[in-house]
């Protein structure tokens, strides 16, 4: 067992860096095996006299150090644990001094994909969170901001030499290579530095800002892929215009560039003016990309662009404030998606993602607040809690203060903190002048982990024509936080009469047909006046708060409300609750019995809901979604995923039988020859995929029908939908379809990733043999993050039935993968290890099997990244 104690960084220990970096000059001479970096820093002491200058470094070879032009003797500085310390550097009177640092690094040996590394024969960087220290010695922390000028020298094999900011000069070197000069005038932290060198195809365009400035747009991709970046370019231009129109934020450089690389640990990175993307989130066309890929590209391109203001122009003071840039920017990209697509469909998809990933995180040993007060490895806090829950906090803030006050506060935040490193307190304080609400009380959401459960109870008083709604909240203990505070929670409420009328009731003397019940204590009662009859209550409309809602409502009332509610989320939610109740009831029954009468009532209610949504096929497809096993696990003590899966399949089969005609027509519809990326066409294909999934639960009779649909498929969405449906059936059609898919796409790596994923997520009797074959294939390279995630992450995160096999095979498979990958890519291995996050929620046999593997990992001498996840998973 590991006995090393990981060093913990604490928010309470934050101290400003005692020096200001006024300018950074980088001169980089590229060579795969021996890149030379000269860093010239102009510094000024801002802290106490006599403070040591401590610069972060990792895996660097220092070749020269000079102070104000004079070489520093070896005994005048120290290097310990990677950090370079220069005692009492610089004058105490606040005058500037210059430090020149020469280092050498080997990008070709960098398999961790942090710092400067090689990808497909090209140079590429990833500096967030602490990668810049692998390029040169520097105060590698987000509160040290400086303007940069960069010179890149490279051999002739690298025609494109890119960095942050604006290009100022480029040309040939006497040696035969090339050079380029870039200047970024905007102060930025080191994690936003970027450098790319290589040969690419380019897609170019131009954007004219609201003030009339020209911005050159360029996307760099693999040779032959420029046409497949067209959707990403359109998404970028839409995002730039939307940010001007909605938030009043204009782009501030002469050029905006995106580079797509295959070897990347994340989705994308917002480096100032030079975004670097995983190629999966840039390249798309109707043949090779699904509709989900198009949606992800649109969202991620927007997200990284929006960081220009929420992350770059205003960055975070320290990594504890990570949610300040990520949660806020996720909120912005989600609002952008709603503007580009169906707002209701987009919101429901957000909720599905939140419940399946973040709610599980909040309920397990890896739970942490949106702003934690301590961490061991910052790389492990890029989580659903920071991103998705962080966005939900912004959405609640907007609801509490109101639309006008929200945008006034955003403008105040931009004006006050532009060019600085800010905190959550700075952000929340920007809204306080615009509201009489106590936002300090709301801000407690940032410091408390866990998902609150809100219990609702209603009582109608016919004599007073009043309805009293009593709400109470409770949050279960989480690691390090056994006692929980009551949160300020805004819940949208509407009341409906049984004849379908929306009731205009008065709350606190204000008549309206929709109200916000602001629950700001453990319990509160809200009295609605002018309610003549006992109403049906539509609560947490639009998912106004990220909570679990407990209401005692009969199936008949849910069905009635689902048929009249004008809130699309609540309609969907009532259908979900009916399905959830059926699955959980059957899974908890010793004989797994399901109430056939309730099942038929549910299926009929879903049929009528789909009929009402006939003009919105995307919404109709969501109405037929049955809560996932990963989500249902949170509702079942000592959960058994096999039982949940079997019960879920029966509910899906009931839907397939009840709607067989509608579903068959959806499957048989032929897509036009020319790919249509419109919302209507996307919805049509979503309904077709859902139809194939539901019909696959009816048994072998549907196999031929789905296999024929696979053969007719004209888009990747249809092909993957059919493959996924065939994976539910034990016949040989799945393997025949896989073989045909591989023959067509074997030379398209991004598309073949999907081929790996659909097998890793299949619930089949041969899943173990199938996974073993996949990782033995010559085209399975674990050094490529996309391919490793396509098997290991897809299996552990999206196949709970097989991963949580009672004999522990799935846990062993993942643990072996974590050990195998850890020496190559610690950040990736740590992400994979987080697949164990919910292990304590299962029955005793599964818990024992998972604990054995976690203890094996804890004794394996893993990297600090992976060790942090494992030790937290084991903690109680």
């Amino acid at each position: 067992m590991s006995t090393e104690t990981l060093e913990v960084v604490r928010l309470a220990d934050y101290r400003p860096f005692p020096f200001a970096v006024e300018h950074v000059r980088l001169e980089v001479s590229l060579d795969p095996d021996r890149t030379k970096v000269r860093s010239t820093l102009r510094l000024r002491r801002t802290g106490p006299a006599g403070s040591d200058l401590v610069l972060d470094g990792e895996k660097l070879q220092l070749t020269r150090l000079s102070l104000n032009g004079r070489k520093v003797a070896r005994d005048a500085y120290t290097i310990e644990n990677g950090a370079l310390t220069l005692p009492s550097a610089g004058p105490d009177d606040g005058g500037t001094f210059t430090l020149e640092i020469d280092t050498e690094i080997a990008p070709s040996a960098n398999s961790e994909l942090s710092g400067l590394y090689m990808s497909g024969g090209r140079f590429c960087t990833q500096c967030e969170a602490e990668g810049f220290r692998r390029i040169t010695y520097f105060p590698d922390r987000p509160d040290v901001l400086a303007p940069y000028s960069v010179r890149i020298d490279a051999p002739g094999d690298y025609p494109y030499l890119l960095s942050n900011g604006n290009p100022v000069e480029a040309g040939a070197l006497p040696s035969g290579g090339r050079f380029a000069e870039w200047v970024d005038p905007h102060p930025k932290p080191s994690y936003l530095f970027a450098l790319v060198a290589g040969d690419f195809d380019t897609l170019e365009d131009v954007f004219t800002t609201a003030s009339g400035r020209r911005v050159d747009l360029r996307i760099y991709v693999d040779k032959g892929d420029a046409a497949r970046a067209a959707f990403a370019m359109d998404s970028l231009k839409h995002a730039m215009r939307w940010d001007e129109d909605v938030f009043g934020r204009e782009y501030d450089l002469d050029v905006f560039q995106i580079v797509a690389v295959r070897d990347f640990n994340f989705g994308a990175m917002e480096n100032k003016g030079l975004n670097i993307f995983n190629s999966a989130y840039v390249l798309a066309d109707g043949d090779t990309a699904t509709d989900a890929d198009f949606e992800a590209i649109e969202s991620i391109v927007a997200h990284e662009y929006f960081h220009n203001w929420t992350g770059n122009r205003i960055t975070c003071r320290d990594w504890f404030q990570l949610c300040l840039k990520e949660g806020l920017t996720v909120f912005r990209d989600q609002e952008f998606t709603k503007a580009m697509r169906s707002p209701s469909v987009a919101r429901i998809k957000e909720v599905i993602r939140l419940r399946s990933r973040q709610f599980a995180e909040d309920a397990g040993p890896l739970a942490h607040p949106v702003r934690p007060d301590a961490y061991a490895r910052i790389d492990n806090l890029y989580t659903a809690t920071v991103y998705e829950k962080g966005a939900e906090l912004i959405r609640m803030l907007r609801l509490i203060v109101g639309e006008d006050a929200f945008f006034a506060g955003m403008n105040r935040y931009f004006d006050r903190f532009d060019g600085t490193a800010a905190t959550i307190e700075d952000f929340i304080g920007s809204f306080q002048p615009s509201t009489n609400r106590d936002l300090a009380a709301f801000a407690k959401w940032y410091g408390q982990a866990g998902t609150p459960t809100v219990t609702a109870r209603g009582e109608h008083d016919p004599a007073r024509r009043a309805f009293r709604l009593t709400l109470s909240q409770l949050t279960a203990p989480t690691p390090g936080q056994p006692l929980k505070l009551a949160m300020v929670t805004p819940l949208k409420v509407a009341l409906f009469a049984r004849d379908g009328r929306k009731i205009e009731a008065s709350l606190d003397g204000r008549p309206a047909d929709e109200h916000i019940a602001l629950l700001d204590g453990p319990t509160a009662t809200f009295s609605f006046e002018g309610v003549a009859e006992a109403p049906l209550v539509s609560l947490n409309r639009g998912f106004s708060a990220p909570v679990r809602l407990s209401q005692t409502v009969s199936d008949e009332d849910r069905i009635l409300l689902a048929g009249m509610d004008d809130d699309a989320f609540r309609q969907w939610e009532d259908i979900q609750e009916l399905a959830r109740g059926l699955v959980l009831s059957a899974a908890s029954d010793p004989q797994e019995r399901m109430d056939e009468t309730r099942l038929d009532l549910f299926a009929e209610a879903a049929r009528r809901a789909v009929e009402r949504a006939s003009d919105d096929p995307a919404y109709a497809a969501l109405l037929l979604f049955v809560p996932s096993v990963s989500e249902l696990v949170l509702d079942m003590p000592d959960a058994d995923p096999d039982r949940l899966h079997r019960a879920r399949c029966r509910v899906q089969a009931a839907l397939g039988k009840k709607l067989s005609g509608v579903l068959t027509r959806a499957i048989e519809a032929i897509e036009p020859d020319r790919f249509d990326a419109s919302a209507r066409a996307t919805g049509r294909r979503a309904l077709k995929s859902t139809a194939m999934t539901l019909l696959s639960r009816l048994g072998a009779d549907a196999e031929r029908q789905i296999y024929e649909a696979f053969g007719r498929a004209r888009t990747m969405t249809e092909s993957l939908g059919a493959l996924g449906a065939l994976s539910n059936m034990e016949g040989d059609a799945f393997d025949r379809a896989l073989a045909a898919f591989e023959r067509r796409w074997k030379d398209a790596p991004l598309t073949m990733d999907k081929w790996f994923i659909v097998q890793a997520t299949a619930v089949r009797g041969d899943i173990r043999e199938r996974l073993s074959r996949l990782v033995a294939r010559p085209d399975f390279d674990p050094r490529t993050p996309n391919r490793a995630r396509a098997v290991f992450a897809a299996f552990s995160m999206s196949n709970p039935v097989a991963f949580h096999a009672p004999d522990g095979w799935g846990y062993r498979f993942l643990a072996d993968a974590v050990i195998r990958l850890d020496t190559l890519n610690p950040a990736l291995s740590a992400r994979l290890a987080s697949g164990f996050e919910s292990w304590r929620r299962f029955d005793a046999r599964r818990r024992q099997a998972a604990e054995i593997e976690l203890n094996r990992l804890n004794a394996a001498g893993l990297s600090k990244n992976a060790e942090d996840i494992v030790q937290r998973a084991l903690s109680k």
Side-chain angles (χ1 to χ4, degrees), residues 394-470:
I394 307 297
R395 190 166 287 107
M396 284 195 293
L397 175 65
R398 181 178 68 174
L399 189 60
I400 289 170
V401 302
E403 201 78 1
D404 292 343
F406 176 77
F407 282 102
M410 286 300 308
N411 288 333
R412 193 176 293 115
Y413 174 65
F414 290 132
D415 293 342
R416 285 183 180 176
F417 298 105
D418 186 16
T420 72
T423 65
I424 293 299
E425 287 75 15
D426 295 330
F427 177 72
I428 296 295
S430 297
F431 296 87
Q432 192 63 76
S434 301
T435 180
N436 57 8
R437 300 282 189 190
D438 177 13
L439 296 183
F442 168 77
K444 293 175 183 177
W445 272 98
Y446 283 95
Q448 182 164 285
T451 304
T453 295
V454 173
T455 300
R457 179 173 54 84
E459 181 182 5
H460 182 246
D461 184 341
R464 292 184 53 225
R465 295 169 55 89
F467 176 73
R468 286 185 292 275
L469 177 65
T470 299

Side-chain angles (χ1 to χ4, degrees), residues 218 311 348 481 541 573 598 730 733 805 816:
R218 299 175 191 140
I348 291 169
Q481 291 186 336
R541 292 162 63 81
E573 180 76 325
R598 287 184 66 197
E730 293 290 346
D816 289 343

Side-chain angles (χ1 to χ4, degrees), residues 558-570:
R558 284 201 185 279
I559 291 169
L560 189 59
L561 186 57
M564 65 178 66
D565 206 321
D566 58 351
D567 183 273
F569 166 78
R570 275 307 326 177

Side-chain angles (χ1 to χ4, degrees), residues 420-610:
T420 72
T423 65
I424 293 299
E425 287 75 15
D426 295 330
F427 177 72
I428 296 295
S430 297
F431 296 87
Q432 192 63 76
S434 301
T435 180
N436 57 8
R437 300 282 189 190
D438 177 13
L439 296 183
F442 168 77
K444 293 175 183 177
W445 272 98
Y446 283 95
Q448 182 164 285
T451 304
T453 295
V454 173
T455 300
R457 179 173 54 84
E459 181 182 5
H460 182 246
D461 184 341
R464 292 184 53 225
R465 295 169 55 89
F467 176 73
R468 286 185 292 275
L469 177 65
T470 299
L471 302 175
S472 59
Q473 60 174 298
L474 182 67
T475 304
T478 56
Q481 291 186 336
L483 301 177
K484 296 295 184 179
L485 301 171
M487 298 287 99
V488 177
T489 304
L491 297 162
K492 282 187 178 180
V493 186
L495 307 178
F496 287 84
R498 301 186 76 82
D499 63 4
R501 289 179 298 106
K502 198 173 183 183
I503 300 171
E504 183 165 306
S506 291
L507 179 64
D508 297 329
R510 293 188 295 272
D513 61 5
E514 183 178 86
H515 293 274
I516 297 173
L518 194 63
L519 177 60
D520 57 3
T523 302
T525 297
F526 302 86
S527 184
F528 297 85
E529 307 296 331
V531 184
E533 60 181 282
L536 299 171
V537 183
S538 174
L539 186 57
N540 205 22
R541 292 162 63 81
F543 200 69
S544 57
V547 300
R548 296 165 62 84
L549 188 60
S550 175
Q551 284 178 283
T552 301
V553 183
S554 69
D555 287 358
E556 291 76 13
D557 280 357
R558 284 201 185 279
I559 291 169
L560 189 59
L561 186 57
M564 65 178 66
D565 206 321
D566 58 351
D567 183 273
F569 166 78
R570 275 307 326 177
Q571 290 182 43
W572 173 82
E573 180 76 325
D574 280 318
I575 299 295
Q576 289 286 290
E577 287 298 331
L578 292 167
R580 188 189 314 275
L582 285 164
V583 174
L584 290 171
S585 176
S588 301
D589 184 82
Q591 281 75 47
E592 299 185 45
R593 292 168 296 196
M594 186 172 288
D595 187 324
E596 296 296 331
T597 301
R598 287 184 66 197
L599 181 61
D600 190 63
L601 279 173
F602 157 74
E604 176 60 21
R607 185 196 66 77
R608 291 200 300 267
V610 168

